[in-house]
Amino acid sequence: MRTGKKREIVSLKYWTRKLTAIGSYSLAWIAILLSIFPVYLITPAKSWAVVGSTSLTVVPLAPAGLTASDKPADQGSAINLSWTPSTTTGVTEQRIYRGTSTGGPYSTLVTTLLNNTTSVYTDTTGLTNGATYYYVVRAFGSGQEGGNSNEANAAPIDNIAPNEPSSLNAADVAGDSGGAIALNWSLSASTDVTQQRIYRGTTPGGPYPTSVTTITNNTTAIYTDSTVSTGTTYYYVIRSFDGTNESINSNESSAMPIGAPSA
């Protein structure tokens, strides 16, 4: 019995010394390799990395759920963004980037938010109505910028129709032989008007099926319609157009062209 116990004690000491030696040998080689080669150890979630042999650098997780949409009820040139911030602790900045091609590059830094709590932003910097823009958001912390969020895109649109012209007045052209009606009005107060469109009909209150002319500015405030018949009453309205939306009708005004009196 004593001999058996001695053997067990000797065996246990032997294997203890053996495993200790193996462990020390392995740790020594690991230390040597770490001193020679930078080793990057990334968790499956990619939330941190070991850089080199001594420093631990946090690489933030990307924000998620990014969406982009035209800002409603405006004259365009604005896109609303929303997202879920990075879940990594230590994030100090959120950086919004955009480009004009899907998949990047995202060469324009739109803004840098100095927190990790804001989750909405409206981009109003240098956007062109009708053009599509592609966005990503990146988290930044501990000197490291994380990867891109999902990409989201939108095109800004002018959603507001311009103000209509006002004080429209129609009158027969005096001293002619008929076939003409003179119009004058006050211009739309909207600053984005690109056209003024004159319509007419032969029924008070409309419809106004005839497009008389389109004036490609918002400065002209008179026009003579020479495509009318003497003795017929015509009813006119004017509408403003801003490149996307047409205004409601101006006030209606009517007149009848009169021919020269008989000798």
Side-chain angles (χ1 to χ4, degrees):
M1 292 294 292
R2 290 182 180 178
T3 302
K5 286 184 178 180
K6 284 185 177 181
R7 287 178 180 174
E8 289 177 3
I9 292 171
V10 170
S11 178
L12 179 59
K13 289 181 178 179
Y14 172 82
W15 284 111
T16 300
R17 288 196 299 271
K18 194 77 172 177
L19 291 173
T20 300
I22 292 172
S24 300
Y25 182 81
S26 299
L27 289 173
W29 272 107
I30 290 172
I32 292 169
L33 291 173
L34 285 174
S35 67
I36 298 173
F37 303 103
V39 177
Y40 298 90
L41 301 174
I42 307 297
T43 68
K46 297 183 179 178
S47 61
W48 58 270
V50 175
V51 181
S53 59
T54 58
S55 62
L56 178 64
T57 302
V58 175
V59 179
L61 289 169
L66 177 63
T67 64
S69 60
D70 171 56
K71 182 181 178 183
D74 70 348
Q75 292 184 323
S77 301
I79 290 176
N80 287 338
L81 304 171
S82 66
W83 65 92
T84 300
S86 169
T87 57
T88 302
T89 58
V91 171
T92 57
E93 296 180 6
Q94 298 181 92
R95 299 172 176 179
I96 302 174
Y97 295 87
R98 78 166 187 244
T100 54
S101 300
T102 183
Y106 309 103
S107 54
T108 300
L109 174 60
V110 177
T111 193
T112 297
L113 304 173
L114 301 178
N115 61 55
N116 194 37
T117 55
T118 300
S119 61
V120 295
Y121 183 79
T122 299
D123 181 12
T124 59
T125 56
L127 303 180
T128 300
N129 286 347
T132 300
Y133 297 91
Y134 301 85
Y135 293 86
V136 294
V137 183
R138 301 173 192 158
F140 177 86
S142 301
Q144 297 292 314
E145 185 177 68
N148 294 333
S149 68
N150 62 294
E151 178 187 270
N153 71 83
I157 300 170
D158 184 349
N159 303 294
I160 299 177
N163 294 324
E164 71 276 16
S166 60
S167 304
L168 175 63
N169 180 67
D172 174 52
V173 176
D176 69 351
S177 58
I181 291 177
L183 304 170
N184 64 82
W185 61 92
S186 295
L187 301 171
S188 168
S190 297
T191 59
D192 60 344
V193 171
T194 58
Q195 296 179 1
Q196 301 180 88
R197 298 172 173 180
I198 302 175
Y199 298 89
R200 76 168 188 240
T202 54
T203 304
Y208 309 99
T210 301
S211 176
V212 177
T213 193
T214 296
I215 301 170
T216 56
N217 62 52
N218 194 36
T219 56
T220 299
I222 58 173
Y223 184 79
T224 298
D225 182 7
S226 300
T227 61
V228 291
S229 299
T230 300
T232 300
T233 300
Y234 295 91
Y235 300 86
Y236 292 86
V237 294
I238 306 180
R239 303 171 194 156
S240 298
F241 180 74
D242 64 7
T244 305
N245 304 291
E246 189 176 65
S247 74
I248 62 173
N249 294 332
S250 69
N251 63 293
E252 178 188 87
S253 187
S254 66
M256 176 192 296
I258 301 171
S262 300

